[in-house]
Amino acid sequence: MIEPLSLYFRLIGARVRSQMQYKFSFIADFIAACVGMIMEFVGVLVLFTHMPALGGWTLAQMAFLYGTTELAFSLANILIEGFDQFPEVIRRGEFDKFLIRPRNTFFQILSSEFAPRRIGRATQAIFVLGAGLWWLHVSWGPEKWLFLVWTLLGGMVFYAGLFVIHGTFSFWTIEALETMNIFTYGGTTMASYPMNIFSEWMRNIFIFIIPLAFVNYFPALYLLDKPDPFGLPGFMPFLAFPLCSLVLMIGMIFWRVGVRHYQSTGN
Amino acid sequence: MVYLALFQKSFQRMIAYRGATIAGVLTNFFFGLLRAYVFIAVYQASGRAYIGGYSLRDAVTYTALTQALIASINLWSWWEVLRLIRSGDITTDLTKPYHFFSSWLARDLGRAMFQLIFRGAPILIFFPLFFELTWPGSLLHWAFALLSILLAIMISFTWRFFVNLAAFWFVDAMGIGRFAYLTMTFMSGFTVPVAYFPDWLKFAVNLTPMPSMVNTPIEVYLGIVRGTDLWVALGVQIFWFVLMTLLCEFLYRRGVQKLIIQGG
């Protein structure tokens, strides 16, 4: 367990050092992501100049929803960059070199990339989440703070799983990959709004088939003491982490299937 | 004519990406539904029939239209000229007997036309399965809407071209470009209609070419701008296209003058 971990940090350390050679580039990307992505929330602010609450959620509560999903998403994005870049590896026919190295391929792809340039997106998420918690005047005991961390980890694992699935699909198709954006980018956009504003069929897909509602919606109901409008059992928030991990596990299994299916393009 | 040929080739090239086109339509469609439900909730919560001159049906049509236009207006990624400058391949273009800006405009219009038909139209055709939409009342109204969309695509091209030219001066032009594209998304009225903005913000963005790229064609389509306002809106679009084109041409010439390519 220790050996792969130290290897992981050495490889990632090398990636970070190499990317830090381009300092201005890093700063430019940081500002671009930080200021650019927060525009999404500025849009929500504009909407709130015309109404007191959205689907029963105040602006502060909306900031909480937005901050949690965006933070989980961007952290996953930073860690899982290798799978995000993976279609390019396949397209160039470079996957063969991973197959002949003495480590499992999942580990290799995971440690092949790291994206500090995406830190900007995480920063704006932390900012909005912080503002939300500030406005909400939360007075939580330690168990709720722990639950918040637990929730963020769950969300990160959930999105990481989706990115792995996204990358794995490139064993079969490169062209149609964009459809997966519905679940990744579409997922985090949807999760920044309360689930009850969506129509029933859409909601049911994202509660029961893809457990997106467990990334932040159900946990937020518990953390912010809001009643569940769907009348689902009270233990729903506590299913969040197990269900989110399940998504990553499915992703890893799918990856194995993909690798077995792989046929080199040759050169 | 060479520009017409470039237009055609660029249109035809897109036909090769059938899978990507279908995937793109599905993704844009999904986001359209998602955003439509948000607007429905906004109108419910506000208790008003009109916000900024938009009825609920207009707002839902706005989500469908913005999603339908994403691909052709190409809000988020276009790096072709940047790559040419960065790799030095731009030298081959310098030797070719055409006007650089116009050649890329022709190519971009070919691409945009394809995407207007094959990525835009399907969204408008299938959206009524979920929601009622507002439609232009007459053929003339359709013609004005299409004209405004065409102008929007052309202005968006000049903007993207302008951003790409940064590569002449900055090694990290891509970061600058990402920033430019993301702020444009909001300021053009793509995220939320400009009519929803508070007055000071509305005033500020109306001093830029941004609303002409998304907001104007949509308001023309919805009939929110009509009569004299319609002519003013189209006039403003033409003004921005001309001004941005001149700016691009000027910067391009400056860039080429200082360009040094290491031969090989």
Side-chain angles (χ1 to χ4, degrees), chain A residues 24-25 29 32 36 42-43 46 50 53 175 178-179 182 186 189 199 201-202, chain B residues 17-20 23-24 27 30-31 37 45-46 51 172 175 178 186 192 196:
Chain A
F24 184 78
S25 182
D29 276 333
V42 175
V46 170
H50 302 285
E175 255 200 306
E178 197 191 335
T179 323
I182 291 178
T189 307
S199 69
W201 66 268
M202 211 163 163
Chain B
Y17 301 101
R18 257 183 234 113
T27 310
F30 174 80
F31 270 87
Y37 285 117
S46 76
I51 299 175
D172 302 301
R178 280 203 196 96
F186 177 77
V192 180
Y196 282 39

PDB file of all heavy atoms in Angstrom, chain A residues 24-25 29 32 36 42-43 46 50 53 175 178-179 182 186 189 199 201-202, chain B residues 17-20 23-24 27 30-31 37 45-46 51 172 175 178 186 192 196:
ATOM      1  N   PHE A  24       3.381  32.051 -15.528  1.00  0.00           N
ATOM      2  CA  PHE A  24       2.389  32.995 -16.019  1.00  0.00           C
ATOM      3  C   PHE A  24       1.170  32.255 -16.557  1.00  0.00           C
ATOM      4  O   PHE A  24       0.033  32.649 -16.329  1.00  0.00           O
ATOM      5  CB  PHE A  24       2.977  33.912 -17.088  1.00  0.00           C
ATOM      6  CG  PHE A  24       1.998  34.960 -17.539  1.00  0.00           C
ATOM      7  CD1 PHE A  24       1.759  36.087 -16.768  1.00  0.00           C
ATOM      8  CD2 PHE A  24       1.284  34.791 -18.719  1.00  0.00           C
ATOM      9  CE1 PHE A  24       0.834  37.027 -17.171  1.00  0.00           C
ATOM     10  CE2 PHE A  24       0.352  35.731 -19.126  1.00  0.00           C
ATOM     11  CZ  PHE A  24       0.137  36.860 -18.351  1.00  0.00           C
ATOM     12  N   SER A  25       1.467  31.156 -17.231  1.00  0.00           N
ATOM     13  CA  SER A  25       0.394  30.339 -17.777  1.00  0.00           C
ATOM     14  C   SER A  25      -0.515  29.832 -16.660  1.00  0.00           C
ATOM     15  O   SER A  25      -1.748  29.857 -16.764  1.00  0.00           O
ATOM     16  CB  SER A  25       0.995  29.162 -18.528  1.00  0.00           C
ATOM     17  OG  SER A  25       0.001  28.384 -19.089  1.00  0.00           O
ATOM     18  N   ASP A  29      -4.448  30.825 -16.217  1.00  0.00           N
ATOM     19  CA  ASP A  29      -5.496  29.802 -16.147  1.00  0.00           C
ATOM     20  C   ASP A  29      -6.255  29.892 -14.833  1.00  0.00           C
ATOM     21  O   ASP A  29      -7.464  29.693 -14.778  1.00  0.00           O
ATOM     22  CB  ASP A  29      -4.890  28.404 -16.288  1.00  0.00           C
ATOM     23  CG  ASP A  29      -4.710  28.025 -17.738  1.00  0.00           C
ATOM     24  OD1 ASP A  29      -5.467  28.536 -18.579  1.00  0.00           O
ATOM     25  OD2 ASP A  29      -3.794  27.240 -18.031  1.00  0.00           O
ATOM     26  N   ALA A  32      -8.568  32.836 -15.038  1.00  0.00           N
ATOM     27  CA  ALA A  32      -9.623  32.525 -16.007  1.00  0.00           C
ATOM     28  C   ALA A  32     -10.682  31.628 -15.379  1.00  0.00           C
ATOM     29  O   ALA A  32     -11.879  31.909 -15.448  1.00  0.00           O
ATOM     30  CB  ALA A  32      -9.037  31.861 -17.243  1.00  0.00           C
ATOM     31  N   GLY A  36     -13.973  33.325 -14.318  1.00  0.00           N
ATOM     32  CA  GLY A  36     -14.876  32.867 -15.366  1.00  0.00           C
ATOM     33  C   GLY A  36     -15.966  31.961 -14.844  1.00  0.00           C
ATOM     34  O   GLY A  36     -17.143  32.132 -15.162  1.00  0.00           O
ATOM     35  N   VAL A  42     -22.990  34.177 -10.577  1.00  0.00           N
ATOM     36  CA  VAL A  42     -23.469  35.551 -10.766  1.00  0.00           C
ATOM     37  C   VAL A  42     -24.822  35.511 -11.486  1.00  0.00           C
ATOM     38  O   VAL A  42     -25.723  36.291 -11.179  1.00  0.00           O
ATOM     39  CB  VAL A  42     -22.438  36.402 -11.545  1.00  0.00           C
ATOM     40  CG1 VAL A  42     -23.006  37.780 -11.847  1.00  0.00           C
ATOM     41  CG2 VAL A  42     -21.155  36.542 -10.754  1.00  0.00           C
ATOM     42  N   GLY A  43     -24.971  34.560 -12.401  1.00  0.00           N
ATOM     43  CA  GLY A  43     -26.260  34.363 -13.070  1.00  0.00           C
ATOM     44  C   GLY A  43     -27.373  34.082 -12.059  1.00  0.00           C
ATOM     45  O   GLY A  43     -28.464  34.639 -12.147  1.00  0.00           O
ATOM     46  N   VAL A  46     -28.316  37.213 -10.316  1.00  0.00           N
ATOM     47  CA  VAL A  46     -29.212  38.040 -11.134  1.00  0.00           C
ATOM     48  C   VAL A  46     -30.648  37.532 -11.022  1.00  0.00           C
ATOM     49  O   VAL A  46     -31.583  38.309 -10.838  1.00  0.00           O
ATOM     50  CB  VAL A  46     -28.752  38.059 -12.609  1.00  0.00           C
ATOM     51  CG1 VAL A  46     -29.803  38.718 -13.491  1.00  0.00           C
ATOM     52  CG2 VAL A  46     -27.420  38.779 -12.747  1.00  0.00           C
ATOM     53  N   HIS A  50     -35.046  39.010  -8.792  1.00  0.00           N
ATOM     54  CA  HIS A  50     -36.452  38.999  -9.200  1.00  0.00           C
ATOM     55  C   HIS A  50     -37.325  38.100  -8.332  1.00  0.00           C
ATOM     56  O   HIS A  50     -38.503  37.917  -8.598  1.00  0.00           O
ATOM     57  CB  HIS A  50     -36.575  38.553 -10.658  1.00  0.00           C
ATOM     58  CG  HIS A  50     -35.819  39.420 -11.615  1.00  0.00           C
ATOM     59  ND1 HIS A  50     -36.258  40.671 -11.992  1.00  0.00           N
ATOM     60  CD2 HIS A  50     -34.624  39.245 -12.231  1.00  0.00           C
ATOM     61  CE1 HIS A  50     -35.386  41.216 -12.817  1.00  0.00           C
ATOM     62  NE2 HIS A  50     -34.380  40.370 -12.974  1.00  0.00           N
ATOM     63  N   ALA A  53     -36.876  33.399  -3.238  1.00  0.00           N
ATOM     64  CA  ALA A  53     -36.311  32.065  -3.060  1.00  0.00           C
ATOM     65  C   ALA A  53     -36.611  31.247  -4.303  1.00  0.00           C
ATOM     66  O   ALA A  53     -37.555  31.543  -5.032  1.00  0.00           O
ATOM     67  CB  ALA A  53     -36.924  31.395  -1.837  1.00  0.00           C
ATOM     68  N   GLU A 175     -15.877   9.949 -30.879  1.00  0.00           N
ATOM     69  CA  GLU A 175     -16.777  10.976 -31.399  1.00  0.00           C
ATOM     70  C   GLU A 175     -17.959  11.262 -30.489  1.00  0.00           C
ATOM     71  O   GLU A 175     -18.314  12.408 -30.260  1.00  0.00           O
ATOM     72  CB  GLU A 175     -17.324  10.514 -32.760  1.00  0.00           C
ATOM     73  CG  GLU A 175     -16.705  11.236 -33.928  1.00  0.00           C
ATOM     74  CD  GLU A 175     -17.612  11.095 -35.132  1.00  0.00           C
ATOM     75  OE1 GLU A 175     -17.962   9.952 -35.496  1.00  0.00           O
ATOM     76  OE2 GLU A 175     -17.980  12.121 -35.677  1.00  0.00           O
ATOM     77  N   GLU A 178     -18.990  13.258 -26.203  1.00  0.00           N
ATOM     78  CA  GLU A 178     -19.558  14.481 -25.643  1.00  0.00           C
ATOM     79  C   GLU A 178     -20.840  14.215 -24.871  1.00  0.00           C
ATOM     80  O   GLU A 178     -21.180  14.955 -23.954  1.00  0.00           O
ATOM     81  CB  GLU A 178     -19.806  15.521 -26.750  1.00  0.00           C
ATOM     82  CG  GLU A 178     -20.003  16.923 -26.172  1.00  0.00           C
ATOM     83  CD  GLU A 178     -20.521  17.938 -27.178  1.00  0.00           C
ATOM     84  OE1 GLU A 178     -20.303  17.755 -28.379  1.00  0.00           O
ATOM     85  OE2 GLU A 178     -21.149  18.913 -26.738  1.00  0.00           O
ATOM     86  N   THR A 179     -21.537  13.118 -25.250  1.00  0.00           N
ATOM     87  CA  THR A 179     -22.784  12.789 -24.553  1.00  0.00           C
ATOM     88  C   THR A 179     -22.556  12.642 -23.047  1.00  0.00           C
ATOM     89  O   THR A 179     -23.430  12.953 -22.253  1.00  0.00           O
ATOM     90  CB  THR A 179     -23.362  11.468 -25.102  1.00  0.00           C
ATOM     91  OG1 THR A 179     -23.119  11.438 -26.497  1.00  0.00           O
ATOM     92  CG2 THR A 179     -24.851  11.387 -24.857  1.00  0.00           C
ATOM     93  N   ILE A 182     -23.329  15.309 -20.418  1.00  0.00           N
ATOM     94  CA  ILE A 182     -24.640  15.447 -19.794  1.00  0.00           C
ATOM     95  C   ILE A 182     -24.529  15.106 -18.318  1.00  0.00           C
ATOM     96  O   ILE A 182     -25.110  15.768 -17.468  1.00  0.00           O
ATOM     97  CB  ILE A 182     -25.670  14.523 -20.483  1.00  0.00           C
ATOM     98  CG1 ILE A 182     -25.948  15.034 -21.891  1.00  0.00           C
ATOM     99  CG2 ILE A 182     -26.956  14.424 -19.666  1.00  0.00           C
ATOM    100  CD1 ILE A 182     -26.908  14.170 -22.674  1.00  0.00           C
ATOM    101  N   GLY A 186     -23.203  18.512 -16.977  1.00  0.00           N
ATOM    102  CA  GLY A 186     -24.635  18.651 -16.750  1.00  0.00           C
ATOM    103  C   GLY A 186     -24.975  18.309 -15.310  1.00  0.00           C
ATOM    104  O   GLY A 186     -25.806  18.959 -14.683  1.00  0.00           O
ATOM    105  N   THR A 189     -24.040  21.141 -12.959  1.00  0.00           N
ATOM    106  CA  THR A 189     -24.957  22.271 -13.161  1.00  0.00           C
ATOM    107  C   THR A 189     -26.300  21.974 -12.497  1.00  0.00           C
ATOM    108  O   THR A 189     -26.858  22.803 -11.778  1.00  0.00           O
ATOM    109  CB  THR A 189     -25.193  22.517 -14.666  1.00  0.00           C
ATOM    110  OG1 THR A 189     -23.936  22.653 -15.303  1.00  0.00           O
ATOM    111  CG2 THR A 189     -26.000  23.784 -14.896  1.00  0.00           C
ATOM    112  N   SER A 199     -38.624  18.301 -13.312  1.00  0.00           N
ATOM    113  CA  SER A 199     -39.798  17.449 -13.491  1.00  0.00           C
ATOM    114  C   SER A 199     -39.497  16.061 -12.930  1.00  0.00           C
ATOM    115  O   SER A 199     -38.337  15.682 -12.746  1.00  0.00           O
ATOM    116  CB  SER A 199     -40.162  17.343 -14.960  1.00  0.00           C
ATOM    117  OG  SER A 199     -39.168  16.596 -15.616  1.00  0.00           O
ATOM    118  N   TRP A 201     -39.658  12.916 -13.998  1.00  0.00           N
ATOM    119  CA  TRP A 201     -38.857  11.896 -14.689  1.00  0.00           C
ATOM    120  C   TRP A 201     -37.378  12.228 -14.620  1.00  0.00           C
ATOM    121  O   TRP A 201     -36.524  11.370 -14.417  1.00  0.00           O
ATOM    122  CB  TRP A 201     -39.314  11.743 -16.151  1.00  0.00           C
ATOM    123  CG  TRP A 201     -39.071  12.947 -17.020  1.00  0.00           C
ATOM    124  CD1 TRP A 201     -39.951  13.960 -17.250  1.00  0.00           C
ATOM    125  CD2 TRP A 201     -37.896  13.260 -17.768  1.00  0.00           C
ATOM    126  NE1 TRP A 201     -39.387  14.895 -18.090  1.00  0.00           N
ATOM    127  CE2 TRP A 201     -38.128  14.484 -18.428  1.00  0.00           C
ATOM    128  CE3 TRP A 201     -36.654  12.632 -17.949  1.00  0.00           C
ATOM    129  CZ2 TRP A 201     -37.181  15.098 -19.254  1.00  0.00           C
ATOM    130  CZ3 TRP A 201     -35.720  13.235 -18.775  1.00  0.00           C
ATOM    131  CH2 TRP A 201     -35.974  14.457 -19.410  1.00  0.00           C
ATOM    132  N   MET A 202     -37.070  13.534 -14.741  1.00  0.00           N
ATOM    133  CA  MET A 202     -35.678  13.960 -14.728  1.00  0.00           C
ATOM    134  C   MET A 202     -35.079  13.717 -13.336  1.00  0.00           C
ATOM    135  O   MET A 202     -33.974  13.215 -13.193  1.00  0.00           O
ATOM    136  CB  MET A 202     -35.652  15.448 -15.050  1.00  0.00           C
ATOM    137  CG  MET A 202     -34.427  15.903 -15.761  1.00  0.00           C
ATOM    138  SD  MET A 202     -34.832  17.522 -16.464  1.00  0.00           S
ATOM    139  CE  MET A 202     -33.213  18.100 -16.798  1.00  0.00           C
TER     140      MET A 202
ATOM    141  N   TYR B  17     -18.351  14.437 -39.255  1.00  0.00           N
ATOM    142  CA  TYR B  17     -18.476  14.214 -37.812  1.00  0.00           C
ATOM    143  C   TYR B  17     -19.920  13.944 -37.420  1.00  0.00           C
ATOM    144  O   TYR B  17     -20.509  14.682 -36.634  1.00  0.00           O
ATOM    145  CB  TYR B  17     -17.946  15.419 -37.050  1.00  0.00           C
ATOM    146  CG  TYR B  17     -16.505  15.732 -37.349  1.00  0.00           C
ATOM    147  CD1 TYR B  17     -16.163  16.751 -38.231  1.00  0.00           C
ATOM    148  CD2 TYR B  17     -15.494  14.995 -36.753  1.00  0.00           C
ATOM    149  CE1 TYR B  17     -14.833  17.034 -38.511  1.00  0.00           C
ATOM    150  CE2 TYR B  17     -14.165  15.269 -37.027  1.00  0.00           C
ATOM    151  CZ  TYR B  17     -13.848  16.291 -37.903  1.00  0.00           C
ATOM    152  OH  TYR B  17     -12.543  16.571 -38.183  1.00  0.00           O
ATOM    153  N   ARG B  18     -20.505  12.873 -37.939  1.00  0.00           N
ATOM    154  CA  ARG B  18     -21.908  12.592 -37.669  1.00  0.00           C
ATOM    155  C   ARG B  18     -22.156  12.260 -36.205  1.00  0.00           C
ATOM    156  O   ARG B  18     -23.049  12.813 -35.569  1.00  0.00           O
ATOM    157  CB  ARG B  18     -22.395  11.452 -38.560  1.00  0.00           C
ATOM    158  CG  ARG B  18     -23.234  11.977 -39.704  1.00  0.00           C
ATOM    159  CD  ARG B  18     -23.777  10.852 -40.542  1.00  0.00           C
ATOM    160  NE  ARG B  18     -23.412  11.079 -41.925  1.00  0.00           N
ATOM    161  CZ  ARG B  18     -22.579  10.335 -42.626  1.00  0.00           C
ATOM    162  NH1 ARG B  18     -22.026   9.273 -42.088  1.00  0.00           N
ATOM    163  NH2 ARG B  18     -22.303  10.621 -43.871  1.00  0.00           N
ATOM    164  N   GLY B  19     -21.326  11.372 -35.678  1.00  0.00           N
ATOM    165  CA  GLY B  19     -21.496  10.957 -34.280  1.00  0.00           C
ATOM    166  C   GLY B  19     -21.392  12.141 -33.345  1.00  0.00           C
ATOM    167  O   GLY B  19     -22.195  12.302 -32.422  1.00  0.00           O
ATOM    168  N   ALA B  20     -20.401  12.989 -33.612  1.00  0.00           N
ATOM    169  CA  ALA B  20     -20.186  14.150 -32.743  1.00  0.00           C
ATOM    170  C   ALA B  20     -21.373  15.103 -32.819  1.00  0.00           C
ATOM    171  O   ALA B  20     -21.760  15.712 -31.815  1.00  0.00           O
ATOM    172  CB  ALA B  20     -18.909  14.865 -33.145  1.00  0.00           C
ATOM    173  N   ALA B  23     -24.181  13.590 -30.715  1.00  0.00           N
ATOM    174  CA  ALA B  23     -23.822  13.722 -29.293  1.00  0.00           C
ATOM    175  C   ALA B  23     -23.994  15.165 -28.838  1.00  0.00           C
ATOM    176  O   ALA B  23     -24.494  15.426 -27.746  1.00  0.00           O
ATOM    177  CB  ALA B  23     -22.384  13.265 -29.068  1.00  0.00           C
ATOM    178  N   GLY B  24     -23.594  16.099 -29.693  1.00  0.00           N
ATOM    179  CA  GLY B  24     -23.712  17.518 -29.355  1.00  0.00           C
ATOM    180  C   GLY B  24     -25.157  17.947 -29.201  1.00  0.00           C
ATOM    181  O   GLY B  24     -25.505  18.655 -28.255  1.00  0.00           O
ATOM    182  N   THR B  27     -26.525  16.652 -25.880  1.00  0.00           N
ATOM    183  CA  THR B  27     -26.009  17.387 -24.733  1.00  0.00           C
ATOM    184  C   THR B  27     -26.655  18.767 -24.630  1.00  0.00           C
ATOM    185  O   THR B  27     -27.133  19.160 -23.569  1.00  0.00           O
ATOM    186  CB  THR B  27     -24.482  17.527 -24.842  1.00  0.00           C
ATOM    187  OG1 THR B  27     -23.930  16.246 -25.100  1.00  0.00           O
ATOM    188  CG2 THR B  27     -23.889  18.079 -23.569  1.00  0.00           C
ATOM    189  N   PHE B  30     -30.268  18.475 -23.482  1.00  0.00           N
ATOM    190  CA  PHE B  30     -30.403  18.204 -22.048  1.00  0.00           C
ATOM    191  C   PHE B  30     -30.228  19.488 -21.230  1.00  0.00           C
ATOM    192  O   PHE B  30     -31.020  19.790 -20.344  1.00  0.00           O
ATOM    193  CB  PHE B  30     -29.394  17.152 -21.594  1.00  0.00           C
ATOM    194  CG  PHE B  30     -29.394  16.950 -20.112  1.00  0.00           C
ATOM    195  CD1 PHE B  30     -30.359  16.161 -19.507  1.00  0.00           C
ATOM    196  CD2 PHE B  30     -28.452  17.582 -19.308  1.00  0.00           C
ATOM    197  CE1 PHE B  30     -30.375  16.001 -18.134  1.00  0.00           C
ATOM    198  CE2 PHE B  30     -28.469  17.425 -17.929  1.00  0.00           C
ATOM    199  CZ  PHE B  30     -29.424  16.628 -17.342  1.00  0.00           C
ATOM    200  N   PHE B  31     -29.184  20.240 -21.562  1.00  0.00           N
ATOM    201  CA  PHE B  31     -28.958  21.497 -20.847  1.00  0.00           C
ATOM    202  C   PHE B  31     -30.137  22.452 -21.042  1.00  0.00           C
ATOM    203  O   PHE B  31     -30.497  23.201 -20.139  1.00  0.00           O
ATOM    204  CB  PHE B  31     -27.657  22.169 -21.305  1.00  0.00           C
ATOM    205  CG  PHE B  31     -26.456  21.750 -20.503  1.00  0.00           C
ATOM    206  CD1 PHE B  31     -25.727  20.624 -20.845  1.00  0.00           C
ATOM    207  CD2 PHE B  31     -26.058  22.497 -19.409  1.00  0.00           C
ATOM    208  CE1 PHE B  31     -24.621  20.245 -20.104  1.00  0.00           C
ATOM    209  CE2 PHE B  31     -24.958  22.120 -18.663  1.00  0.00           C
ATOM    210  CZ  PHE B  31     -24.234  20.986 -19.008  1.00  0.00           C
ATOM    211  N   TYR B  37     -36.420  24.306 -16.773  1.00  0.00           N
ATOM    212  CA  TYR B  37     -37.040  24.076 -15.469  1.00  0.00           C
ATOM    213  C   TYR B  37     -36.621  25.139 -14.456  1.00  0.00           C
ATOM    214  O   TYR B  37     -37.414  25.535 -13.607  1.00  0.00           O
ATOM    215  CB  TYR B  37     -36.702  22.671 -14.949  1.00  0.00           C
ATOM    216  CG  TYR B  37     -37.477  21.591 -15.670  1.00  0.00           C
ATOM    217  CD1 TYR B  37     -36.828  20.619 -16.418  1.00  0.00           C
ATOM    218  CD2 TYR B  37     -38.867  21.564 -15.607  1.00  0.00           C
ATOM    219  CE1 TYR B  37     -37.532  19.647 -17.100  1.00  0.00           C
ATOM    220  CE2 TYR B  37     -39.584  20.595 -16.286  1.00  0.00           C
ATOM    221  CZ  TYR B  37     -38.919  19.631 -17.035  1.00  0.00           C
ATOM    222  OH  TYR B  37     -39.619  18.682 -17.697  1.00  0.00           O
ATOM    223  N   ALA B  45     -41.659  31.484  -8.448  1.00  0.00           N
ATOM    224  CA  ALA B  45     -41.230  32.133  -7.204  1.00  0.00           C
ATOM    225  C   ALA B  45     -41.454  33.642  -7.245  1.00  0.00           C
ATOM    226  O   ALA B  45     -41.739  34.257  -6.216  1.00  0.00           O
ATOM    227  CB  ALA B  45     -39.758  31.827  -6.946  1.00  0.00           C
ATOM    228  N   SER B  46     -41.302  34.231  -8.445  1.00  0.00           N
ATOM    229  CA  SER B  46     -41.421  35.694  -8.510  1.00  0.00           C
ATOM    230  C   SER B  46     -42.888  36.121  -8.509  1.00  0.00           C
ATOM    231  O   SER B  46     -43.208  37.252  -8.149  1.00  0.00           O
ATOM    232  CB  SER B  46     -40.745  36.229  -9.774  1.00  0.00           C
ATOM    233  OG  SER B  46     -41.567  35.976 -10.896  1.00  0.00           O
ATOM    234  N   ILE B  51     -40.893  39.125 -16.713  1.00  0.00           N
ATOM    235  CA  ILE B  51     -39.659  39.625 -16.099  1.00  0.00           C
ATOM    236  C   ILE B  51     -38.819  40.210 -17.227  1.00  0.00           C
ATOM    237  O   ILE B  51     -38.508  39.526 -18.201  1.00  0.00           O
ATOM    238  CB  ILE B  51     -38.870  38.515 -15.377  1.00  0.00           C
ATOM    239  CG1 ILE B  51     -39.711  37.924 -14.249  1.00  0.00           C
ATOM    240  CG2 ILE B  51     -37.559  39.065 -14.812  1.00  0.00           C
ATOM    241  CD1 ILE B  51     -39.070  36.741 -13.542  1.00  0.00           C
ATOM    242  N   ASP B 172       1.144  32.731 -23.433  1.00  0.00           N
ATOM    243  CA  ASP B 172       0.043  32.088 -22.715  1.00  0.00           C
ATOM    244  C   ASP B 172      -1.315  32.592 -23.176  1.00  0.00           C
ATOM    245  O   ASP B 172      -2.227  32.775 -22.377  1.00  0.00           O
ATOM    246  CB  ASP B 172       0.200  32.329 -21.221  1.00  0.00           C
ATOM    247  CG  ASP B 172       1.515  31.794 -20.730  1.00  0.00           C
ATOM    248  OD1 ASP B 172       1.726  30.592 -20.893  1.00  0.00           O
ATOM    249  OD2 ASP B 172       2.318  32.586 -20.223  1.00  0.00           O
ATOM    250  N   GLY B 175      -4.731  30.981 -21.888  1.00  0.00           N
ATOM    251  CA  GLY B 175      -5.336  31.365 -20.609  1.00  0.00           C
ATOM    252  C   GLY B 175      -6.158  32.638 -20.763  1.00  0.00           C
ATOM    253  O   GLY B 175      -7.270  32.745 -20.261  1.00  0.00           O
ATOM    254  N   ARG B 178      -9.333  31.708 -22.599  1.00  0.00           N
ATOM    255  CA  ARG B 178     -10.336  31.036 -21.762  1.00  0.00           C
ATOM    256  C   ARG B 178     -11.099  32.049 -20.932  1.00  0.00           C
ATOM    257  O   ARG B 178     -12.312  31.985 -20.791  1.00  0.00           O
ATOM    258  CB  ARG B 178      -9.659  30.028 -20.821  1.00  0.00           C
ATOM    259  CG  ARG B 178      -9.325  28.743 -21.519  1.00  0.00           C
ATOM    260  CD  ARG B 178      -9.209  27.602 -20.525  1.00  0.00           C
ATOM    261  NE  ARG B 178      -8.521  26.508 -21.184  1.00  0.00           N
ATOM    262  CZ  ARG B 178      -7.219  26.280 -21.072  1.00  0.00           C
ATOM    263  NH1 ARG B 178      -6.475  27.039 -20.298  1.00  0.00           N
ATOM    264  NH2 ARG B 178      -6.655  25.297 -21.729  1.00  0.00           N
ATOM    265  N   PHE B 186     -21.330  35.113 -19.943  1.00  0.00           N
ATOM    266  CA  PHE B 186     -22.257  35.843 -19.084  1.00  0.00           C
ATOM    267  C   PHE B 186     -22.691  37.171 -19.718  1.00  0.00           C
ATOM    268  O   PHE B 186     -23.873  37.489 -19.780  1.00  0.00           O
ATOM    269  CB  PHE B 186     -21.611  36.095 -17.720  1.00  0.00           C
ATOM    270  CG  PHE B 186     -22.473  36.901 -16.802  1.00  0.00           C
ATOM    271  CD1 PHE B 186     -23.552  36.322 -16.157  1.00  0.00           C
ATOM    272  CD2 PHE B 186     -22.228  38.251 -16.608  1.00  0.00           C
ATOM    273  CE1 PHE B 186     -24.365  37.063 -15.333  1.00  0.00           C
ATOM    274  CE2 PHE B 186     -23.037  39.004 -15.779  1.00  0.00           C
ATOM    275  CZ  PHE B 186     -24.116  38.404 -15.133  1.00  0.00           C
ATOM    276  N   VAL B 192     -28.056  34.342 -18.502  1.00  0.00           N
ATOM    277  CA  VAL B 192     -29.333  34.941 -18.121  1.00  0.00           C
ATOM    278  C   VAL B 192     -29.595  36.058 -19.133  1.00  0.00           C
ATOM    279  O   VAL B 192     -28.647  36.729 -19.543  1.00  0.00           O
ATOM    280  CB  VAL B 192     -29.229  35.552 -16.696  1.00  0.00           C
ATOM    281  CG1 VAL B 192     -30.536  36.179 -16.285  1.00  0.00           C
ATOM    282  CG2 VAL B 192     -28.793  34.521 -15.680  1.00  0.00           C
ATOM    283  N   TYR B 196     -32.725  40.855 -17.712  1.00  0.00           N
ATOM    284  CA  TYR B 196     -32.873  40.537 -16.285  1.00  0.00           C
ATOM    285  C   TYR B 196     -31.856  41.283 -15.426  1.00  0.00           C
ATOM    286  O   TYR B 196     -31.991  41.329 -14.220  1.00  0.00           O
ATOM    287  CB  TYR B 196     -32.638  39.036 -16.051  1.00  0.00           C
ATOM    288  CG  TYR B 196     -33.776  38.120 -16.416  1.00  0.00           C
ATOM    289  CD1 TYR B 196     -34.542  38.337 -17.549  1.00  0.00           C
ATOM    290  CD2 TYR B 196     -34.071  37.010 -15.621  1.00  0.00           C
ATOM    291  CE1 TYR B 196     -35.563  37.458 -17.880  1.00  0.00           C
ATOM    292  CE2 TYR B 196     -35.088  36.140 -15.952  1.00  0.00           C
ATOM    293  CZ  TYR B 196     -35.834  36.366 -17.083  1.00  0.00           C
ATOM    294  OH  TYR B 196     -36.828  35.499 -17.410  1.00  0.00           O
TER     295      TYR B 196
END
